[in-house]
Amino acid sequence: MPDLEVSATYTPYEKWVRRLYQTNLFNPVKLGLQNMEDLHEAMGRPMDHRPVIHIAGTNGKGSVALKIATTLQLLNPSLRVGLFCSPHVSSFRERMQINGEMIPEDKVVEYLPEIYDICLKKDIPATFFEITTALAFKFFQEADVVVLETGLGGRLDATNVVSAPAMSIITSIGLEHTRILGDTIELIALEKGGIIKKDRPVLVGPNVPHDVLRECANEKGASQYLTCDDVLGTTQTEITDYDKENARTAQAALSMLKQDHPNLFESLTEEILQEGTSIRPPCRFEIVEREDDLTVVLDVAHNPPAMEYLLRKLQATYPDAKFRIVVGMSRDKDVGLVGKMLLDVIDVDAVHLVEAYHPRAAKLEDMLESEPRLKNSNWDSDDRTITTQINSALELAKEKKEILVVCGSVFLMAEAREALGFDEPRDSEHIAEVAGAHLRHGQEVFANTPDEEIKAK
C-alpha cells in the first residue's frame, strides 16, 4: 500500500493513524480469517502465550469485558491486564489498554510500521480492523492476561485467531448486522458461537437461544457450557437492568477463571468483586452532574433493544423528571422504530436530532422520513453539527428544569463530550477527518457489496 501522508503538518502519530484509517480504500474487506492468521503467525502468535478471555455478543460485551479487566486489576495489582474493545469514543488509543492506560502514541508509531512491513513482505492485504487487532496483539505482549472483545460477529472476526482461550463468553444475542451475520437470532447465534473452542469452557448470558448455542458447543467439543445460574446459583429476583445482568455475567466469568487459573488471583473478596463489576464504560448510562445543577446522561443506545432499555432505565432512575433528548443514529439501524419509541415517552419538542460527521451516520432526511412526527422536533438542515444542538438543548433543559440525555450512535459522542466540556484524550481534527474512511469498505459496512458476497456462511 502506498504512503498516503508525507505532509510535515502531521505528527508521526497522526500520520500513521491516518494511514490506518485509509487502509480499506486499498484493501477492501473480504470475510475470512486468513489475513489475520498470517499476521498472527508472522508476529509469533502472541495471543497463544497468555490467558485470553474472549467475549462476543450483540449487547453487553464491552461492558462485561471492562468489568472483568477492572476486577482482575483490583484482585492482583501486580497483574498486567490487557483490554481490547471497540469502537472508541474520543481517541483511537482507547481500543487497546493495559491496566486502564491507553496505548501510548509512541508505541503506535513504533508498532504500526512493523505491522505494515510484515503485510508488505508477506503480501497480506490486511484491513483496518485486522491491522488494529494486530497492533493490540503487539501491545499485549506486555500483558499477563488479555480480555478480548470481538468487533463483529465471532466466527470470522479478526480476534478469532486465538486458538485456546481461557474461556469464551457470549453475552446476548439479538438481530444486528443482518446483511452479514444472518437474519434470524439462530443464524446470528451460530456466528457468535464461532468463538467457542475445543476443550475450553463457554459461559453464556441469559438472553441467548440456548438450544442453538449448546449444540454449537457440543459440536466444537467445548469442555463446559455454563450459564450464570450454573456458576452462581439461581437468583429469585428478575434482573431487568442490563448493567446488573452484565455484572452477573462478569462475576460468573471471574468465578470460573479462579477455578481454572488460580495464579491470576490473590484474593477474590465480595467487596472487590462488587467494586470491579460495578464499573461502566463511558457513555453507558454515564451520569454527569454539572456545576450549573444540570444532570446529563450519556448513552450509546444505538438499536431498538438498547433504546427500550435506556428509556426504561431513565424512568426508573428519575421517576418524576422530564427529559430533553439529543439523538443521532447509525444508518444501518432501525431508525424509524427508535424514533417511534422516543416519541412514545418524550414530547416531540423536547427531541433534538443530530447527524454525526461519519459515513455510517443516519442523515437527518432519513430520520425525518422514517418517523414523520420527528419533523416537529428540533433540527437544522443548514447546521447539522452536534455542538449546536447540544448548546441549544443545554439552555432549554436548564430553563425547563429537565434532565438532558445524549444518546444514539457512538459516532456522535466525541463531539458531544467536547461540547459538554469533558477534558480527555481526543484525536485531532487531522485524524477525525479520515476517521470514517475504513468504514466505506469496512468490517461493519458492506453497503456497496452484493448480499450474496457478504453473508457469512
Side-chain angles (χ1 to χ4, degrees):
M1 191 183 99
D3 286 327
L4 288 169
E5 309 295 352
V6 295
S7 172
T9 62
Y10 303 128
T11 67
Y13 171 75
E14 289 171 337
K15 172 187 172 182
W16 282 103
V17 176
R18 281 178 64 93
R19 176 174 177 176
L20 174 60
Y21 273 127
Q22 296 174 87
T23 296
N24 289 5
L25 302 178
F26 296 88
N27 296 334
V29 170
K30 181 179 180 180
L31 285 176
L33 290 176
Q34 192 59 56
N35 286 347
M36 199 62 218
E37 288 283 6
D38 292 345
L39 259 177
H40 197 215
E41 186 70 34
M43 294 168 61
R45 304 195 65 87
M47 290 302 99
D48 290 351
H49 306 311
R50 49 196 39 82
V52 174
I53 299 96
H54 200 188
I55 307 175
T58 300
N59 288 312
K61 61 183 183 293
S63 180
V64 170
L66 178 63
K67 291 174 187 295
I68 292 173
T70 301
T71 307
L72 286 173
Q73 293 164 39
L74 291 172
L75 284 170
N76 187 345
S78 65
L79 200 65
R80 293 180 59 78
V81 183
L83 173 64
F84 183 59
C85 53
S86 62
H88 63 271
V89 174
S90 297
S91 172
F92 168 78
R93 296 185 297 122
E94 296 169 23
R95 293 172 179 250
M96 52 210 79
Q97 307 173 21
I98 292 180
N99 287 5
E101 297 292 327
M102 296 185 294
I103 182 172
E105 289 188 5
D106 61 350
K107 294 287 188 183
V108 175
V109 173
E110 178 185 353
Y111 295 154
L112 275 181
E114 295 177 8
I115 294 168
Y116 276 109
D117 189 53
I118 291 172
C119 291
L120 180 64
K121 290 178 178 177
K122 301 280 187 180
D123 193 24
I124 304 171
T127 62
F128 166 84
F129 195 76
E130 289 164 345
I131 292 173
T132 299
T133 303
L135 175 63
F137 287 1
K138 182 81 172 174
F139 182 49
F140 293 153
Q141 289 177 323
E142 304 174 17
D144 301 308
V145 58
V146 174
V147 184
L148 205 60
E149 177 194 350
T150 59
L152 173 68
R155 181 173 65 96
L156 299 177
D157 187 76
T159 62
N160 202 29
V161 295
V162 177
S163 59
M167 65 184 304
S168 301
I169 303 172
I170 300 172
T171 57
S172 66
I173 302 293
L175 289 174
E176 63 163 1
H177 304 295
T178 52
R179 288 189 67 203
I180 306 167
L181 301 181
D183 55 9
T184 68
I185 293 292
E186 290 74 22
L187 284 174
I188 292 174
L190 289 175
E191 290 301 313
K192 308 286 188 187
I195 69 168
I196 299 171
K197 297 296 192 299
K198 181 178 174 58
D199 297 328
R200 301 292 169 167
V202 57
L203 172 71
V204 298
N207 297 311
V208 303
H210 289 288
D211 53 342
V212 175
L213 285 178
R214 186 174 278 107
E215 182 179 353
C216 181
N218 288 337
E219 289 178 355
K220 290 180 175 293
S223 60
Q224 291 177 296
Y225 178 94
L226 298 172
T227 67
C228 295
D229 285 354
D230 292 333
V231 179
L232 302 175
T234 56
T235 176
Q236 302 302 316
T237 306
E238 182 183 5
I239 299 177
T240 57
D241 185 325
Y242 279 176
D243 190 61
K244 290 181 180 178
E245 180 182 301
N246 293 335
R248 184 169 167 81
T249 302
Q251 289 164 10
L254 288 158
S255 179
M256 292 170 63
L257 281 170
K258 183 181 180 183
Q259 290 183 355
D260 296 340
H261 296 270
N263 58 306
L264 296 179
F265 297 81
E266 289 191 346
S267 56
L268 181 58
T269 66
E270 185 65 22
E271 182 180 3
I272 289 177
L273 194 63
Q274 292 300 323
E275 180 183 352
T277 59
S278 66
I279 191 170
R280 292 176 183 265
C283 301
R284 273 72 164 186
F285 209 82
E286 181 179 6
I287 299 173
V288 181
E289 301 291 352
R290 289 166 53 94
E291 292 181 357
D292 56 8
D293 294 327
L294 182 65
T295 298
V296 179
V297 178
L298 298 138
D299 194 282
V300 286
H302 63 292
N303 55 29
M307 186 61 72
E308 179 184 17
Y309 163 70
L310 171 61
L311 294 172
R312 189 170 66 241
K313 177 80 171 173
L314 286 168
Q315 292 171 315
T317 307
Y318 305 103
D320 301 319
K322 292 184 177 181
F323 303 101
R324 180 163 296 273
I325 291 190
V326 178
V327 61
M329 298 297 296
S330 295
R331 59 183 169 85
D332 57 341
K333 306 303 179 186
D334 192 336
V335 178
L337 180 54
V338 168
K340 180 181 183 303
M341 294 167 67
L342 282 172
L343 296 181
D344 283 346
V345 296
I346 307 291
D347 292 337
V348 68
D349 60 1
V351 176
H352 297 249
L353 300 182
V354 297
E355 180 183 314
Y357 182 66
H358 198 280
R360 271 188 66 187
K363 297 292 185 184
L364 280 177
E365 292 81 0
D366 295 335
M367 290 187 273
L368 298 173
E369 181 180 349
S370 66
E371 174 45 84
R373 289 180 294 167
L374 287 172
K375 292 176 181 177
N376 295 317
S377 66
N378 301 277
W379 52 276
D380 188 340
S381 60
D382 295 324
D383 184 357
R384 305 174 183 227
T385 61
I386 297 159
T387 299
T388 296
Q389 289 299 333
I390 290 280
N391 289 337
S392 172
L394 282 170
E395 291 302 317
L396 289 168
K398 282 187 282 189
E399 176 187 328
K400 298 177 181 292
K401 300 187 181 336
E402 299 164 324
I403 289 174
L404 177 60
V405 182
V406 183
C407 62
S409 168
V410 69
F411 304 124
L412 66 88
M413 288 300 173
E415 185 178 341
R417 292 168 77 87
E418 185 174 18
L420 291 166
F422 279 76
D423 182 16
E424 59 191 1
R426 182 177 293 108
D427 283 336
S428 68
E429 292 182 3
H430 293 312
I431 292 174
E433 67 185 4
V434 297
H438 67 294
L439 291 169
R440 296 193 183 101
H441 300 281
Q443 178 158 354
E444 297 184 4
V445 171
F446 295 76
N448 299 319
T449 308
D451 286 354
E452 62 271 16
E453 293 183 22
I454 60 173
K455 190 75 74 178
K457 296 177 181 179

